[in-house]
Every structure is written in C-alpha cells, then in structure tokens.
Amino acid sequence: MLRLTRRAFSSTPSPRVAVVGSGPGGFYTAKYLLRDSKNVHVTILDRWPTPFGLVRYGVAPDHPEVKSVQDDFEEVATSERFSYAGHVFVGHPADAPSHTGPVVPLNDLMNLYDAVVVATGCDLARKLDLPGAELEGVVNARAFVGWYNAEPTFSHLQLPDVSDQLRSVIIGHGNVALDCARLLAAPSSHLDATDIHSTAFEALQRLPSKRLIHVVGRRGATQAAFTTKEVRELTELENAALVIDPAELEAGDTEASIEEGKARPLKRKRKFLDQASRRPGGDLRPGRQSRRARLRRSGWVKRGPTGIVGSNVADARETAAAVLEDLAASGVAGYGEGTSWADWRRIDGVEKANARNGAPRAKFSDVEGMLDAAKSS
Ligand SMILES: Cc1cc2nc3c(=O)[nH]c(=O)nc-3n(C[C@H](O)[C@H](O)[C@H](O)COP(=O)(O)OP(=O)(O)OC[C@H]3O[C@@H](n4cnc5c(N)ncnc54)[C@H](O)[C@@H]3O)c2cc1C
C-alpha cells in the first residue's frame, strides 16, 4: 500500500509533478514529462485502485487492440521516477461521499507538488432532455458501458427483464452508440475471450435471441460521428444483420450535407452505408493562474469528450512541455492509504488468474475486492 505523507513544499532539483487521472491523458503526459526531462518525478493519482481510466472502463471489451495501449502505459510505469497513488480522490470530500480511500483537495495537492496536471476526463453523463427520460428501462450509455466493463459505480445495474424479444433504441450516432449496439447484438462466442464483466456477460447471454436494436440520430449520415470501422464491425457479427433503410439515408441529405460529404473519409463512409443499405435485409478542458500557475490539463478534461485514445497524444505532449516550462522559471499526512503500482500489479495478477477460459482477465467490479487482491502475496 502507498502511504501518502505530507511534505513541506520545497523547490528541489528534482521537481515533482502530480498528474490527476490515469487514463490516456494522464499517462501520455507522464510519458512525455519523463522522456523530455532527466530529473522530473511524476506521481499519477486516480480515484480507483486500478489504473487506465476509460481504456479499462470505456473501450469495448471486444476491442483488445485498443486496450493494448495499456502495455505502453505499463512501460511508462517502469521508470524509477514514476509512482502511482491509486484509490485517491482529488477534490472536495462532498463530491466523493462513497469514496473509501484518501480524499485530497486540489489546493493541497498544489501546495505539495511543483506542478499539477488535471487529466480527469469527462465523467458526467449528458442528460437526455426528453419527457420520460427518467422511466425504468432508460439507461445512460455511460452507465451501460461502465456496467459491461466492471466499473464499480455501475456494477449493480440490471437489464430489464425481457422474455420474448428484446426491442431497444440507442439514441446517438457516435462510436459509443455502435459499441452498445454491438454488445447487445453479439453472440456469446464473440465476447467469450474478452475482459467483459462476468455479470454483464451472463446477463447478455440470458437475453432472448431475437433482438431488435434501433440506432437513431437526429441528423443524417454525413453528420453521424461513428467511423466506417465501427459500422463495418456490425456487419461482421455472427447471426446478426445490419439493416439500413436507403430512404433514411436519403432523408438526411441536404445541399449543405452533400457538399460537406465530399471530404474523403466521409465519402468512404457514405459509400459503405450505401452498399450496406442495398443488401436485402441487411447483412448478417483551469489554465495558467498566479499561484496556480502550476496547474495544467490534459486529455478530455482539456478538449472535451471527442476523439480516440491516440488523440490524447498531441495535447499530452503540449501539456508536458508546458509543465516543464513552468518548472524551468515542491508528499501528502493524514490522508490515509492509497494503492501503489506494486498493488496494481497484484490486482492485475489476481484478475488474470481468475479469468474465464480464453479471456484476458476477470475484472473486479468492487473496490473492496481490488483492495483485498492488492494485499495478496
Ligand atoms: C464508451 C467509450 C468507448 C471508447 N472506445 C474507444 C475506442 O474503441 N478506441 C479509442 O481509441 N478510443 C475510445 N474511446 C475514447 C478514449 O477512451 C478517450 O479518448 C480517452 O480515454 C480519454 O482519456 P482521458 O485520460 O482524458 O480520460 P479518462 O480515460 O476518462 O481518464 C480519466 C481518469 O481520471 C480519473 N479521475 C477522474 N476524476 C478524478 C478525481 N477527482 N480524482 C482522482 N482521479 C480522478 C478517472 O478515474 C480516470 O481513471 C472511448 C470512449 C468511451 C467513453
């Protein structure tokens, strides 16, 4: 376990940088800070005992090629100048009433480190501003994704009890909408060898085999944010058919969208959608301030929730460079214990040992389980 101890602020020859958040925004920033400086020490703090943010709790389980970015982050963690403080919530205690680990106010962190980078992502789900949005059976994608990825906050979610045929509507035309559609449509064989939460795996298996999934968006194909790769994956699922109504595609065409759609990636996407529609029945963002001059942001908390894991590289480099510049012109008592990188390695080992046949790991969906595993030998 990692004990957080208070340390007097001092301008040492080895500056200490705290990065809040262990997702891509945080880890890429740590990577460039460590690479571009010979003496900076980086501590990544995260509210969960386990690292990697949405790579663990957002990216779909059947996208292991995306999740493999964790290997790069593991490499960053091998630096002697790196440490991890997991299960530490940074912010006001009132914002984390159920958090059982240390809570460190941001101001304290700024007194304790020479620089602080906030890379906390975009945690709040957008509210569906429609009558009935609160009804039973309406689930936010943030919760659904967190549930199938074993995020502790959402581990108690339950799918509505449907016996005959699942009829569902997904609102939104982004890649996350297609992740949700794919997970709902996928046969168990598709998810068997993934790190999907076992409870979700079993609940999805119990759904009736007849599943009708509508994916609706407010505008046309040109504006749809999903990529061709994601929509193609829907055509590759066994025993599932992607049905696109050509009339729906045309209904979204306006003079302006036809012009906008001439850009090459959009053209390619439209061609794919046109082809798929012809198959009968388808086919199976605080900046620089005076005392807070040392506070920087990285990742989604800086740019907003757009882009893929790799999109976080450019601004992580920019943030790391700005921090090093700040440093070129200061631990944490009484906060309690968080998890260290060695603790994460133990949790990792237990998750791997508990994996279903062929699956990479069986993720804990409760913090107590993670902490017990962290104590295992
Ligand atoms: C459902 C979904 C699927 C996605 N699929 C893909 C994909 O297939 N391919 C792809 O390239 N990209 C995908 N993305 C995008 C990718 O996940 C993001 O680009 C990336 O995770 C953003 O990184 P980040 O570090 O800014 O935020 P996050 O990954 O959210 O990391 C933020 C971290 O900060 C921690 N944190 C938050 N608040 C606090 C606090 N107060 N104190 C301490 N810690 C805190 C969180 O626990 C978390 O670990 C997906 C995103 C979502 C939502």
Side-chain angles (χ1 to χ4, degrees), residues 289-328:
Q289 301 160 18
S290 51
R291 171 78 183 92
R292 288 153 207 269
R294 298 171 290 115
L295 190 64
R296 297 280 182 178
R297 291 181 297 176
S298 186
W300 278 13
V301 75
K302 181 173 168 186
R303 307 188 318 279
T306 58
I308 60 170
V309 168
S311 325
N312 300 288
V313 173
D315 73 48
R317 289 178 101 129
E318 189 185 281
T319 302
V323 168
L324 293 177
E325 214 175 272
D326 285 348
L327 293 174

Side-chain angles (χ1 to χ4, degrees), residues 20-26 45-48 52-55 58-60 63 66 88-91 119-122 145 176 179 230 298-301 303 306-310 312:
V20 189
S22 66
L45 302 99
D46 202 286
R47 67 187 159 134
W48 297 123
F52 308 138
L54 284 172
V55 173
V59 172
H63 281 173
V66 180
V88 178
F89 182 85
V90 177
T120 48
C122 285
V145 166
V176 174
D179 280 352
E230 292 265 344
S298 186
W300 278 13
V301 75
R303 307 188 318 279
T306 58
I308 60 170
V309 168
N312 300 288

Side-chain angles (χ1 to χ4, degrees), residues 36-356:
D36 297 342
S37 145
K38 293 270 173 285
N39 61 348
V40 160
H41 285 248
V42 178
T43 302
I44 290 193
L45 302 99
D46 202 286
R47 67 187 159 134
W48 297 123
T50 50
F52 308 138
L54 284 172
V55 173
R56 181 179 165 100
Y57 293 129
V59 172
D62 60 340
H63 281 173
E65 75 288 356
V66 180
K67 287 185 183 270
S68 67
V69 73
Q70 291 183 13
D71 298 341
D72 296 350
F73 300 158
E74 294 273 1
E75 179 71 30
V76 173
T78 59
S79 167
E80 284 177 353
R81 293 182 283 127
F82 174 90
S83 60
Y84 179 70
H87 204 206
V88 178
F89 182 85
V90 177
H92 197 279
D95 291 330
S98 55
H99 186 76
T100 53
V103 176
V104 182
L106 184 60
N107 272 339
D108 287 16
L109 210 60
M110 293 176 69
N111 288 332
L112 294 161
Y113 285 84
D114 297 296
V116 176
V117 176
V118 178
T120 48
C122 285
D123 208 28
L124 293 180
R126 195 178 286 177
K127 278 217 166 115
L128 185 63
D129 194 14
L130 288 176
E134 311 306 322
L135 291 176
E136 201 186 324
V138 181
V139 180
N140 195 287
R142 173 83 184 79
F144 183 60
V145 166
W147 171 72
Y148 65 62
N149 271 317
E151 182 174 342
T153 317
F154 303 110
S155 60
H156 305 297
L157 191 132
Q158 285 192 333
L159 290 188
D161 200 10
V162 269
S163 50
D164 182 22
Q165 180 182 16
L166 173 80
R167 294 163 60 85
S168 56
V169 177
I170 297 173
I171 303 176
H173 271 173
N175 278 340
V176 174
L178 299 200
D179 280 352
C180 294
R182 204 174 61 255
L183 267 281
L184 279 174
S188 60
S189 56
H190 181 78
L191 297 169
D192 229 359
T194 70
D195 68 357
I196 186 172
H197 181 29
S198 55
T199 307
F201 181 70
E202 286 154 22
L204 290 169
Q205 266 185 308
R206 282 196 301 272
L207 286 176
S209 55
K210 278 195 203 160
R211 305 176 192 180
L212 188 60
I213 304 153
H214 290 279
V215 183
V216 303
R218 62 186 161 155
R219 292 196 288 166
T222 307
Q223 291 81 21
F226 53 70
T227 54
T228 311
K229 172 185 172 288
E230 292 265 344
V231 80
R232 181 178 287 119
E233 285 177 40
L234 285 172
T235 66
E236 290 164 355
L237 288 177
E238 250 178 68
N239 299 328
L242 172 68
V243 181
I244 300 174
D245 181 349
E248 285 288 332
L249 278 179
E250 273 174 37
D253 288 338
T254 61
E255 222 172 280
S257 75
I258 291 170
E259 197 50 41
E260 197 185 327
K262 287 181 180 161
R264 198 187 278 183
L266 289 175
K267 240 168 140 176
R268 220 179 304 130
K269 184 163 77 179
R270 178 56 184 257
K271 190 172 165 202
F272 185 85
L273 293 172
D274 279 333
Q275 282 169 352
S277 75
R278 283 198 291 273
R279 293 177 193 145
D283 206 357
L284 288 183
R285 331 175 199 236
R288 207 184 161 102
Q289 301 160 18
S290 51
R291 171 78 183 92
R292 288 153 207 269
R294 298 171 290 115
L295 190 64
R296 297 280 182 178
R297 291 181 297 176
S298 186
W300 278 13
V301 75
K302 181 173 168 186
R303 307 188 318 279
T306 58
I308 60 170
V309 168
S311 325
N312 300 288
V313 173
D315 73 48
R317 289 178 101 129
E318 189 185 281
T319 302
V323 168
L324 293 177
E325 214 175 272
D326 285 348
L327 293 174
S330 53
V332 220
Y335 291 111
E337 281 184 352
T339 49
S340 65
W341 195 255
D343 293 328
W344 153 242
R345 303 295 320 168
R346 281 187 283 270
I347 298 171
D348 188 42
V350 175
E351 287 192 340
K352 284 178 175 157
N354 290 343
R356 280 190 309 276

